[in-house]
Amino acid sequence: MTKKSLGAETTVYPTPVFIVGSYGKDGKANAMNAAWGGICCSEPPCVAVSLRKARFTYENIVNRKAFTISIPSVAHAKEADYFGIASGWKENKFAKTGLTPVRSELVDAPYIDEFPLVLECKLLHTFELGVHTQFVGEIVDVKADESVLDGNGVPSVERIGPLAFAPGPNTYHLVGRCVGKAFSIGREL
Amino acid sequence: MTKKSLGAETTVYPTPVFIVGSYGKDGKANAMNAAWGGICCSEPPCVAVSLRKARFTYENIVNRKAFTISIPSVAHAKEADYFGIASGWKENKFAKTGLTPVRSELVDAPYIDEFPLVLECKLLHTFELGVHTQFVGEIVDVKADESVLDGNGVPSVERIGPLAFAPGPNTYHLVGRCVGKAFSIGREL
């Protein structure tokens, strides 16, 4: 297969749509959209998210040593995108979207009530990588709306309807139909 | 919204299906399936992938200071899963799948010819996080099959048909229909 070189760029599919919740110095709840991140350790359970230093959220995480990640469903794609366009330095994004910040009881950060899946994280590591700083948070709890849990109490992808971001075309996509069970469909090979 | 606590676990959607290519000590090409990873910096362009020390790939990346990430299309879901089930310590996964390892001209690692999107990475950082070690690679090139490029030369999500992994249900999902343009659909708020 002839492959064409596209150069040194950050193109890979999928990337997540993480809405990162944090508190400002004055206690103002903020949320931003971050696609540079992912789970990075099983024990302790950790998630990484990378931010530029200029972000309102950057200072918040440094100060409060905590953040949350709220996963939007496709029904809130517009709000999720807005969280990536507007700056917490200038705007009260919760007021603008009408979404509800909920103070986590476990970490010093707010999550989004209307989003179905939420991770509450304590800052564990801060790695300087270049224009982005990578924050590694220990996941102290995952919370989900009862309505998105399947019969086994596991968050259902179909009920959540989560989004994926595609750098390059800069588009959001529905994480769609199940195409197989992991650690299973490969066994026949 | 009443949210139910699920405990401290690594449940978030989507996670990627990264097939990590590396060379063993004897030059044997190997590939493994890793879901704990993601883009972590724009400049230098970097991608992170977390592995347990027991993996065949772990030692390969430490020794060669390089790896690739090949993104499977849905047509190769079975092979992608197999790469996560079988161990490179015991099996020649390329022989078993019939897929073709291609030696990167830029880094000391092989990528998968039949997979439509490939990242070639040089190891930049190694972070010990717990049971997983996070490798941060600088993306020195992205390569794509001509057949998956759109009219602007950008890899098309629809033409690739990439997979997402969902921890919890342990299922693969198609990254499906476009639901909006990023940095755009949120502007109306």
Side-chain angles (χ1 to χ4, degrees):
Chain A
M1 205 74 70
T2 309
K3 284 189 163 52
K4 186 173 177 186
S5 167
L6 305 179
E9 55 177 45
T10 51
T11 303
V12 70
Y13 309 144
T15 71
V17 179
F18 285 167
I19 308 301
V20 183
S22 65
Y23 283 123
K25 274 186 183 168
D26 58 357
K28 174 183 153 188
N30 187 61
M32 72 166 282
N33 183 328
W36 289 179
I39 299 290
C40 58
C41 189
S42 292
E43 192 50 49
C46 291
V47 64
V49 62
S50 290
L51 304 181
R52 292 173 187 261
K53 283 198 167 61
R55 299 285 183 212
F56 185 71
T57 301
Y58 175 89
E59 200 170 284
N60 298 350
I61 295 177
V62 169
N63 290 338
R64 305 277 181 141
K65 303 200 182 329
F67 61 92
T68 65
I69 293 174
S70 298
I71 300 297
S73 83
V74 61
H76 284 116
K78 276 182 198 171
E79 287 81 359
D81 191 48
Y82 168 79
F83 284 128
I85 294 171
S87 169
W89 291 113
K90 292 181 189 166
E91 299 196 47
N92 185 324
K93 301 193 207 177
F94 280 99
K96 201 89 169 198
T97 54
L99 295 173
T100 314
V102 175
R103 178 177 291 276
S104 165
E105 293 178 2
L106 302 174
V107 305
D108 191 8
Y111 61 81
I112 301 177
D113 196 31
E114 290 82 357
F115 287 12
L117 188 68
V118 167
L119 282 67
E120 296 159 279
C121 307
K122 277 186 188 165
L123 182 63
L124 264 195
H125 303 285
T126 303
F127 299 126
E128 300 297 341
L129 300 180
V131 301
H132 283 84
T133 301
Q134 183 184 230
F135 292 116
V136 173
E138 179 175 351
I139 303 164
V140 297
D141 198 25
V142 176
K143 289 183 170 62
D145 290 348
E146 300 257 11
S147 60
V148 301
L149 298 177
D150 66 16
N152 300 314
V154 174
S156 157
V157 175
E158 289 73 16
R159 291 184 192 187
I160 292 176
L163 300 170
F165 172 65
N170 284 338
T171 41
Y172 297 110
H173 297 260
L174 182 67
V175 177
R177 68 181 166 87
C178 178
V179 298
K181 188 90 181 155
F183 314 110
S184 172
I185 57 172
R187 289 201 189 279
E188 51 186 88
L189 286 174
Chain B
M1 208 71 74
T2 309
K3 284 188 163 53
K4 187 174 176 185
S5 167
L6 305 180
E9 53 177 46
T10 51
T11 303
V12 71
Y13 309 145
T15 71
V17 179
F18 286 167
I19 308 300
V20 182
S22 66
Y23 283 123
K25 275 187 181 167
D26 57 357
K28 174 182 153 187
N30 187 61
M32 72 166 282
N33 182 327
W36 289 179
I39 299 291
C40 57
C41 189
S42 292
E43 191 52 49
C46 291
V47 64
V49 63
S50 291
L51 305 181
R52 291 173 188 261
K53 283 197 166 63
R55 300 284 184 213
F56 184 72
T57 301
Y58 175 88
E59 198 170 286
N60 297 351
I61 294 177
V62 169
N63 290 338
R64 304 278 180 140
K65 303 200 183 328
F67 61 92
T68 65
I69 292 174
S70 298
I71 300 296
S73 84
V74 62
H76 284 115
K78 276 182 198 175
E79 287 79 1
D81 190 49
Y82 168 80
F83 284 129
I85 295 171
S87 168
W89 292 111
K90 292 182 187 164
E91 298 197 47
N92 185 324
K93 302 194 208 177
F94 280 98
K96 201 89 169 202
T97 55
L99 295 173
T100 315
V102 176
R103 178 175 293 276
S104 164
E105 292 177 3
L106 301 174
V107 305
D108 191 8
Y111 60 81
I112 301 177
D113 196 32
E114 290 82 356
F115 286 11
L117 188 67
V118 167
L119 282 67
E120 296 159 280
C121 307
K122 278 186 188 165
L123 182 63
L124 263 195
H125 303 285
T126 303
F127 299 127
E128 299 298 342
L129 301 180
V131 301
H132 282 86
T133 300
Q134 186 190 50
F135 293 116
V136 173
E138 178 175 352
I139 303 164
V140 298
D141 198 24
V142 176
K143 289 183 168 63
D145 290 350
E146 300 258 9
S147 60
V148 300
L149 298 177
D150 68 15
N152 300 315
V154 173
S156 157
V157 175
E158 290 73 16
R159 291 184 192 186
I160 291 176
L163 299 171
F165 172 64
N170 285 337
T171 41
Y172 296 111
H173 297 260
L174 182 67
V175 177
R177 68 181 167 85
C178 178
V179 299
K181 188 90 180 155
F183 315 110
S184 172
I185 57 172
R187 287 199 189 279
E188 52 185 88
L189 286 175

